[in-house]
Amino acid sequence: MSIMVFWLEPDGQPARQEFAANDLLGALKFSEERRREGRRHVSISTELPDSVGKGGVNSVEGGRLPDGHVYDYNKAHRGAGLKPTT
């Protein structure tokens, strides 16, 4: 798959530009250029083939993901350091 950059033209018409899966830096630069030109709603969407697993977490039971990996992320303690061990 690829990387897509979407934006709205000044007249409100949607526009897009496709980039190869290995050209994220090009897509980011292109997005920045569109924003500097005054384009609105500039966004990037990807479906990269080398992505690790499916996007998002659909369930956590007993502190583990469906594949058995430990999941201990807690948004309330973000940036507070590691959990204390007991």
Side-chain angles (χ1 to χ4, degrees), residues 1-72:
M1 296 305 273
S2 62
I3 302 169
M4 297 293 293
V5 177
F6 298 94
W7 71 95
L8 291 180
E9 291 291 350
D11 63 0
Q13 292 296 311
R16 65 179 173 80
Q17 177 69 42
E18 184 174 356
F19 292 84
N22 64 351
D23 194 17
L24 179 58
L25 290 179
L28 290 169
K29 182 179 178 183
F30 184 84
S31 296
E32 184 178 335
E33 290 167 358
R34 297 295 80 74
R35 288 186 183 107
R36 287 186 178 166
E37 292 170 354
R39 301 303 192 265
R40 299 185 61 201
H41 297 284
V42 180
S43 62
I44 296 177
S45 179
T46 65
E47 289 187 10
L48 301 176
D50 294 330
S51 178
V52 179
K54 295 181 180 177
V57 174
N58 60 3
S59 69
V60 177
E61 295 180 18
R64 296 198 175 269
L65 299 171
D67 64 4
H69 285 89
V70 174
Y71 185 85
D72 59 0

